[in-house]
Structures are given as C-alpha cells and as structure tokens.
Amino acid sequence: MNLSQNDQHDRPLFYIIAGEVSGDMIGAGVMKSLKTLTSGKARFAGVGGVHMSSEGLESLFPIEELSVLGLFELIPKIPKLLKRIRETVHDIFLKKPCAVITIDSKGFNFRIAKQIALKQNKQTENIKLIHMVAPTVWAWRPGRAKKIAKLFDHLLAMFPFEPAYFIPHGLKTSFVGHPALEEKEGNPDTFKKSFSIPKDCLVLSLLPGSRTGEIDRLLPVFEETISKLKHHFPRLYIVIPTVLALEDRVRNIISEWTAENVILVRNQDKQDAFAASDFAIAASGTATLELALARVPTIVAYKVNFLTGWIAYFLVNHQSIVLANRILEQPLFPLLVQKNCNSDKIVEVLISQKNRKNIAKEMELASATIRERLDIGGNTSSNLAAQVILNETRVL
C-alpha cells in the first residue's frame, strides 16, 4: 500500500544498497543514526547483510550474490547480476523512497544509479541518489570522477583528500570520516587469557579479505607462509578474525591445515586480537587501515586472476593501494601483489620488519598521524553521513 505524501514525509523511506561485508557494516551504522535523528520515524528497504538486518532491513536478496572479485571472475555472474539490477530498480520505483543510498560495490551500484537517472528523466519521480565510499579515482583512472559526477546528487567520502577530485566536476561531496576511527582500542591481555596464548609467543593476525574470491586465493598462500615461519618462530600463534557471513568458509579451509595454534575469532574480538598481534598479513582494503590505527606492523598481500592483475598493472597507482600509505603519504606498510604475493617473499619481508629496531615507534606515530588526518571533530562517521542525507532529502 502506498503512503500519502504527508505520511511519506513524516515516515521517510531510505533505500540502502550494500554489496559487501564492509558496506553492510557502514549501512547499519547509518541506519542507526537515521533512526536516532528522525526519532525512530525512518523506514528502510534495500539490499544488505546481517548487520543491516539487525537494524531492521529485510534484504531484497542475499548480499553474498554481489561479492565478486575481479573482471574475469565477474563474467560468469553477469546474467544473474543483470537480473538483480532489474529487480532492484523495479523495487525502488515500486517503493518510492526519498533517497537511494548506495554503499561501495561500484559495479552493481553505479548501474542501479544509471537506470534510476534514466527513468527519472522520463517520469516525475525525484529520488535523491547518494553514494557512500568514494571510488578510488586517486588510485586509478582519475577521469572516472567526471562520469561519476553525472550519476549522483551527493557523494559521501571517507578520506579528506577525496572531495577535491569530484567537486570540480559539479558533484556535491562531503567528507564524513571513516568508521574505523570509532573502534575502541583492544585489550591484549584479555585476548591472550581468553584464548590461552602464552605471553612470550609471536602472535600473527591473518586477514584474507571479505570476499569469497579473496579468501580462496589468499588463505593457501597464508598457509604456506605459516609453515615456513614456524622454522623461524617455533612459538607462533595464528589469529584469523572473521565475520559471521564468512566464518563457515574460512573454518572449512583452515580445518585442512596441519598448522597448530590457529585461532579463528569473531568480529567482536577483532580489536582485542589486533592489540595482541605482533604482526599481521592482510588483503588490501579497510582491514589495513584498521590495523594501522591499532599500531600493528602489517604486510599487505593481494592476488587476483592473472588477466585482471595484468590489466590493473597498467591502470592502478600501486603507491595508493594501501590506504594507510596513501593517508601517510609514505610506503610504511609493505605491499606484495601478484607474483610477489608468495610465501617466500612474505616470510622475507616479515623477518625484515621484525628486525627493525624502531618499528613500534613508527607504528605509534603512524596511528596518531592517521587519526589526526581523519579527524571529524568528535562526531561519528555514521552521524555525519546521516545528517548529510537528511539535509539532502529535506525530510525534516
């Protein structure tokens, strides 16, 4: 049943689309803030995972269908993705939200935005299009900024250097901060006690990414790395933080490992795990920023399909792949991609990092610098984003 215009204004509907675990977490935070700022009047529809569901979203379809890694991995899934795009656009015009808020997952969300824009030109609808997590035009193909500016009414950026890429093309862009800064500092002693980890051991965190393709490619490399590290560090404990949606997949893979002292921990223990970690090996992405903020020396490792990697080699600014390095404007965290993403190289770099005398001080300074550069004056990223969305839609 359609609501009257007054009811729509009194109880605004926000259509939120997240295609990955990180986006699902961001979406949940924004939903919570929108409910608070509208005194509980905000309603939601869209696509999300367990975190957005916990805030009241009934997802149109499972978020896992949108988790695709790489150009050539995408090709077999194109027919199903196109079907989901049509279903989502149809659902949006059926529900008539005041805004569609897309979060990351550019391959899916930008196609949604294009179709909405085309249909709105032919109809009298006025659905605001807002995108969260700015495309990394600073890392590859900066010319995309001009095309993206034509799609959206507002862009919510998580890094202070991003608005300058989009505003010149006429796209309203607001820096709303990064939710990683909202994480509380972990307790290493609590973590080690909970998981019976001796104090004199080397603790290594492994973060193979939030997509199934990343996990399948990186965990075998990480297993080989552990085997070789055991020769250098016999008292080695491995910690693998994971989220509920990926826990079974990760557990099934590591159940085949022969390595001892491998601990799988859930998201609620992640910050304690970071605090207890001496080092980390992580897929590129948000986790590398979280580790930098937690002062953990981290090796960033990444591998994709050969052809995808070959194309990316010519298009991507490798100095910008690691978020912490981009913010710090220096290559503090080593990056190993494609052929360099192998166990021998990772072991070599990790030992080199361990032998650096001032690494603890470097991590302390890096964390403080990142916090200073991402500072949003004591507010939260979710609250700032929600305020921008409400201002843009003018529902209050």
Side-chain angles (χ1 to χ4, degrees):
M1 182 176 69
N2 289 334
L3 298 175
S4 68
Q5 285 189 338
N6 287 337
D7 287 337
Q8 287 179 10
H9 194 275
D10 290 340
R11 294 209 60 208
L13 175 66
F14 300 92
Y15 204 99
I16 307 181
I17 306 172
E20 299 177 21
V21 173
S22 58
D24 181 41
M25 293 178 178
I26 293 169
V30 172
M31 289 172 67
K32 187 174 183 178
S33 291
L34 283 171
K35 285 189 287 188
T36 299
L37 293 174
T38 61
S39 302
K41 293 178 180 178
R43 297 177 297 125
F44 304 100
V47 179
V50 293
H51 296 92
M52 289 168 64
S53 294
S54 70
E55 293 296 332
L57 179 79
E58 186 174 335
S59 185
L60 183 63
F61 56 84
I63 189 176
E64 290 78 17
E65 293 186 18
L66 302 183
S67 181
V68 182
L69 171 67
L71 174 63
F72 292 93
E73 292 86 346
L74 170 66
I75 292 173
K77 297 189 177 183
I78 286 176
K80 189 167 188 177
L81 288 173
L82 290 175
K83 179 185 176 185
R84 289 307 194 189
I85 289 170
R86 291 192 297 270
E87 290 174 353
T88 305
V89 172
H90 175 77
D91 195 50
I92 288 167
F93 280 97
L94 183 68
K95 290 186 166 71
K96 294 181 169 56
C98 62
V100 173
I101 303 152
T102 53
I103 305 173
D104 211 354
S105 300
K106 295 167 283 295
F108 185 81
N109 283 327
F110 285 12
R111 285 168 175 80
I112 295 288
K114 284 180 183 178
Q115 292 205 19
I116 293 173
L118 285 172
K119 290 198 173 191
Q120 287 195 135
N121 287 338
K122 299 176 182 178
Q123 300 177 19
T124 59
E125 311 290 346
N126 185 26
I127 301 170
K128 291 290 184 179
L129 296 175
I130 301 168
H131 187 70
M132 290 192 70
V133 187
T136 54
V137 296
W138 38 269
W140 72 293
R141 291 175 58 201
R144 290 179 298 154
K146 186 175 182 180
K147 295 180 180 179
I148 293 162
K150 297 176 182 178
L151 290 178
F152 297 99
D153 297 294
H154 212 121
L155 177 64
L156 306 183
M158 297 198 165
F159 300 110
F161 52 80
E162 292 178 316
Y165 287 89
F166 299 94
I167 291 174
H169 298 294
L171 177 57
K172 286 185 284 187
T173 306
S174 300
F175 167 53
V176 296
H178 201 287
L181 267 71
E182 299 166 29
E183 297 280 2
K184 294 181 180 179
E185 187 167 350
N187 187 315
D189 295 331
T190 298
F191 183 81
K192 288 184 177 182
K193 184 177 180 180
S194 296
F195 292 94
S196 302
I197 301 174
K199 290 186 178 181
D200 59 345
C201 290
L202 184 76
V203 180
L204 174 68
S205 273
L206 301 179
L207 292 98
S210 60
R211 298 172 178 174
T212 56
E214 291 172 330
I215 291 168
D216 292 344
R217 287 187 188 280
L218 291 177
L219 278 182
V221 177
F222 291 174
E223 181 188 11
E224 290 181 15
T225 302
I226 295 168
S227 178
K228 292 172 182 178
L229 281 172
K230 284 281 188 179
H231 296 295
H232 300 276
F233 310 105
R235 294 174 62 77
L236 178 67
Y237 272 71
I238 303 299
V239 176
I240 307 179
T242 188
V243 294
L244 184 61
L246 299 169
E247 183 177 338
D248 287 344
R249 192 181 196 94
V250 174
R251 191 181 300 279
N252 287 338
I253 293 173
I254 66 174
S255 67
E256 303 293 327
W257 290 8
T258 57
E260 298 177 346
N261 303 327
V262 179
I263 302 168
L264 189 65
V265 300
R266 291 182 173 172
N267 197 59
Q268 61 264 32
D269 295 314
K270 180 177 65 176
Q271 290 302 316
D272 286 343
F274 288 171
S277 296
D278 297 293
F279 291 92
I281 306 169
S284 65
T286 303
T288 62
L289 179 60
E290 293 173 335
L291 287 160
L293 289 168
R295 304 183 295 278
V296 184
T298 302
I299 297 168
V300 183
Y302 209 66
K303 182 181 286 189
V304 294
N305 174 285
F306 170 76
L307 290 173
T308 301
W310 183 79
I311 293 171
Y313 177 83
F314 295 99
L315 296 177
V316 176
N317 176 357
H318 285 224
Q319 295 179 351
S320 296
I321 291 176
V322 182
L323 291 172
N325 289 348
R326 177 63 179 80
I327 297 166
L328 293 168
E329 299 178 340
Q330 59 172 308
L332 183 61
F333 298 89
L335 172 65
L336 302 175
V337 296
Q338 295 304 91
K339 66 179 182 179
N340 286 325
C341 180
N342 65 73
S343 57
D344 288 333
K345 192 67 177 177
I346 294 172
V347 170
E348 176 190 331
V349 174
L350 193 147
I351 292 173
S352 174
Q353 293 286 90
K354 192 175 188 307
N355 290 335
R356 285 168 58 188
K357 294 181 179 179
N358 297 322
I359 194 164
K361 290 183 178 179
E362 289 177 352
M363 292 300 115
E364 188 79 37
L365 178 59
S367 177
T369 302
I370 292 171
R371 290 183 184 280
E372 180 183 340
R373 293 182 180 179
L374 297 185
D375 180 61
I376 48 176
N379 209 333
T380 69
S381 177
S382 297
N383 276 343
L384 279 182
Q387 287 167 8
V388 173
I389 291 166
L390 291 174
N391 290 339
E392 188 66 49
T393 55
R394 299 181 181 179
V395 295
L396 289 183

